[in-house]
Amino acid sequence: MKRVVITGAGTINALGQDVPSTLSAMAEGRCGIGPINVRDIDRLNVRIGGQVTEYDPDEHFNRQQIALYDRFTQFSLLAARQAIGQSGLTFIGDLAMEAGVVLGTAGGGVNTWDENYRTVYEEGKNRVHPFVVPKLMNNAGASHISMEYNLRGPTYTVATACSSSNHAMGQAFHLVRSGASRVMVTGGSEAMLSFGGIKAWEGLRVMSRDACRPFSANRNGMVQGEGAAIFVFEEMEHARARGAEILAEVIGFAMTSDATDIVMPSRKGAAQTIAACLRDARISGDAVGYVNAHGTGTSANDKTECAAVADTFGSHADNLMISSTKSMHGHVIGGTGAVELLACIMALKDGIVAPTIGYEEPDPECALDVVPNEAREAKIDVALSNAFAFGGLNAVLALRSA
Amino acid sequence: MTDDIETRVAEIIAEQAVLEPGDVRMDMTLEDLGIDSLGLVESIFAIEETFDIQVPFNANEPQSSAFDISSVASIVAAVRQLVAQQHPA
């Protein structure tokens, strides 16, 4: 089995349009959630989100590209450009033939669906632009990264709702660990802050209208975000041989299905997944210093997740730190695990644990160290990133400091 | 009206080919103009929108479609015919 390291990272999200600005926002506990700009907002009940603002596609892409790139594809390409640039890799010869792209997205080109449904249903028109299909398909982001960087190996998209990018990164980890590829580009992207994307979530009655306050007794729901984060996963000896900077090592991954309920989380399923991830990484729970929580800010998730962490770690649960950065960037749905992996890297590399902001009142059902409101300095050797999706699909990654 | 159709088709094709409308000659083929398959369907979409017509064209069998795309002139002629059929004066 090969060892797998991260040699590049890129992002665009409500906190920043690159990794340094995102990490400094997380370290400062800055909130990227606010009033959103969406067509027909007066017909929405939820009017806040972690929206990417001050963003002009024309600054990054030409007219032909914009005609083909949904917002989620644009985010994928911008984050990939940063990550591959940082890695210093170019893909030619054998490396190009084995290196691929595995991305997570729950909805793919949601804005493209939305705009063209308006065209045919609202405006009553009988034709849509010919690029609607290549623009909205879930694999558009992965395919355009593949085309841009000549990545000819295994390339596909994983859609497992809010676990999508953790599943994607787990698959990329497996491909590199098994020796199938020396390099994989991976992560996730989501751009669901459209009228239809928000209206659908409103229907579930799990959305907050004012703030995302994970683990706080007065939490009242999740807040949607948008954006992408992309990483370069590389076989360790390959990275060392070329003198690449190693951001962190990926040491374990586990995925399970609760097989119980389509929306309610399972304490047992979450606990089993965390335990399986520790076994895969061949570490004991005591080695874990930080857990980036799924931490959606819903009543059900946060108490279930805290109970699962307590079950898995026993008395060590009181020693580790667990925070939800969704309080700052919102729930990036299929891209969320990727954006949250940045907080794990910051903890391992820079010794800064991102806080759970918006924390106001302790909840006895969430009685762990949730790093309330202010970041903390700490030496972290191992960090976990949790994702527990609708559909009962769980995916947990383990990272170690380089 | 006849000149208008020719001018507007040339404008649509020029935009796809990233050329000035004056550089699009009637004897040119789509290949001469560097318009690929996606550029072709985008041009047909723009023609349908501009002239408010339905263009019978199946990319799977372009040769057997009633819409002749062998040159700019043939496209103009086909559009003229469709406009006459679908919007009789």
Side-chain angles (χ1 to χ4, degrees), chain A residues 215-369:
Chain A
F215 309 118
S216 193
N218 63 343
R219 65 185 180 275
N220 61 1
M222 55 177 271
V223 174
Q224 267 181 274
E226 64 172 357
I230 306 279
F231 303 91
V232 175
F233 282 15
E234 186 171 356
E235 193 270 310
M236 189 170 75
E237 293 310 320
H238 187 264
R240 280 187 174 163
R242 62 186 192 89
E245 187 195 1
I246 294 172
L247 304 177
E249 181 177 0
V250 188
I251 57 171
F253 173 62
M255 47 185 166
T256 69
S257 176
D258 297 334
T260 49
D261 193 280
I262 198 70
V263 291
M264 288 305 290
S266 157
R267 172 179 180 167
K268 195 173 155 197
Q272 283 173 337
T273 319
I274 297 168
C277 182
L278 297 174
R279 280 198 302 278
D280 188 57
R282 299 176 188 196
I283 54 170
S284 81
D286 296 349
V288 177
Y290 172 60
V291 177
N292 184 285
H294 192 55
T296 56
T298 62
S299 169
N301 175 83
D302 295 1
K303 67 181 180 192
T304 307
E305 183 168 12
C306 286
V309 167
D311 289 349
T312 315
F313 290 96
S315 61
H316 181 65
D318 295 325
N319 303 327
L320 56 76
M321 287 176 261
I322 174 169
S323 71
S324 171
T325 51
K326 286 187 179 74
S327 55
M328 296 181 272
H329 50 66
H331 192 332
V332 190
I333 316 291
T336 211
V339 172
E340 290 161 29
L341 204 71
L342 294 167
C344 294
I345 292 172
M346 180 169 77
L348 297 168
K349 187 167 166 287
D350 304 331
I352 301 170
V353 176
T356 306
I357 69 163
Y359 187 83
E360 293 173 351
E361 290 175 33
D363 178 351
E365 290 192 285
C366 303
L368 298 173
D369 179 1

Side-chain angles (χ1 to χ4, degrees), chain B residues 57-80:
Chain B
F57 179 81
N58 183 337
N60 296 296
E61 37 183 14
Q63 278 73 33
S64 64
S65 297
F67 192 74
D68 181 359
I69 55 159
S70 51
S71 69
V72 177
S74 73
I75 293 172
V76 171
V79 170
R80 192 171 291 139

Side-chain angles (χ1 to χ4, degrees), chain A residues 63-64 67-68 125-131 134, chain B residues 15 18 38-39 41-42 45 48-49 52-54:
Chain A
R63 189 178 56 96
Q64 282 100 331
L68 265 175
K125 292 186 70 173
N126 282 325
R127 75 175 68 89
V128 294
H129 191 275
F131 295 176
Chain B
E15 180 164 342
V18 200
L38 279 184
V41 291
E42 223 185 348
F45 171 73
E48 288 186 323
E49 291 283 289
D52 190 24
I53 54 175
Q54 299 277 346

Side-chain angles (χ1 to χ4, degrees), chain B residues 4-23:
Chain B
D4 186 46
I5 289 178
E6 188 173 312
T7 306
R8 285 156 80 187
V9 169
E11 282 168 3
I12 288 166
I13 287 174
E15 180 164 342
Q16 281 303 317
V18 200
L19 292 170
E20 292 300 318
D23 295 334

Side-chain angles (χ1 to χ4, degrees), chain A residues 45-290:
Chain A
N45 295 316
V46 172
R47 297 178 184 182
I48 58 165
Q51 192 168 36
V52 173
T53 55
E54 293 170 36
Y55 172 70
D56 180 4
D58 292 323
E59 285 177 17
H60 306 285
F61 304 107
N62 66 35
R63 189 178 56 96
Q64 282 100 331
Q65 290 173 320
I66 290 169
L68 265 175
Y69 299 169
D70 182 90
R71 190 171 169 92
F72 101 99
T73 297
Q74 295 175 24
F75 289 165
S76 304
L77 282 162
L78 291 174
R81 187 181 292 174
Q82 298 166 23
I84 294 169
Q86 182 179 25
S87 78
L89 287 164
T90 48
F91 298 97
I92 51 172
D94 291 345
L95 187 63
M97 294 310 294
E98 66 191 64
V101 189
V102 189
L103 292 194
T105 185
V110 174
N111 281 278
T112 301
W113 285 107
D114 225 33
E115 285 159 18
N116 288 284
Y117 277 152
R118 281 184 190 277
T119 302
V120 292
Y121 294 144
E122 186 177 306
E123 295 163 24
K125 292 186 70 173
N126 282 325
R127 75 175 68 89
V128 294
H129 191 275
F131 295 176
V132 171
V133 168
K135 202 171 170 183
L136 63 77
M137 62 192 190
N138 279 28
N139 59 310
S143 292
H144 283 296
I145 293 172
S146 154
M147 288 156 64
E148 184 83 22
Y149 296 99
N150 192 37
L151 296 154
R152 293 164 177 265
T155 296
Y156 57 100
T157 297
V158 180
T160 51
C162 309
S163 292
S164 300
S165 51
N166 269 21
H167 274 116
M169 294 188 291
Q171 295 279 291
F173 169 59
H174 282 169
L175 283 161
V176 178
R177 185 167 73 170
S178 71
S181 178
R182 285 170 290 174
V183 177
M184 290 296 296
V185 175
T186 187
S189 178
E190 200 74 66
M192 208 177 268
L193 285 176
S194 64
F195 179 81
I198 297 167
K199 187 55 82 182
W201 277 103
E202 278 182 5
L204 270 171
R205 316 263 167 170
V206 293
M207 307 289 284
S208 171
R209 292 189 201 187
D210 51 14
C212 177
R213 301 183 197 87
F215 309 118
S216 193
N218 63 343
R219 65 185 180 275
N220 61 1
M222 55 177 271
V223 174
Q224 267 181 274
E226 64 172 357
I230 306 279
F231 303 91
V232 175
F233 282 15
E234 186 171 356
E235 193 270 310
M236 189 170 75
E237 293 310 320
H238 187 264
R240 280 187 174 163
R242 62 186 192 89
E245 187 195 1
I246 294 172
L247 304 177
E249 181 177 0
V250 188
I251 57 171
F253 173 62
M255 47 185 166
T256 69
S257 176
D258 297 334
T260 49
D261 193 280
I262 198 70
V263 291
M264 288 305 290
S266 157
R267 172 179 180 167
K268 195 173 155 197
Q272 283 173 337
T273 319
I274 297 168
C277 182
L278 297 174
R279 280 198 302 278
D280 188 57
R282 299 176 188 196
I283 54 170
S284 81
D286 296 349
V288 177
Y290 172 60

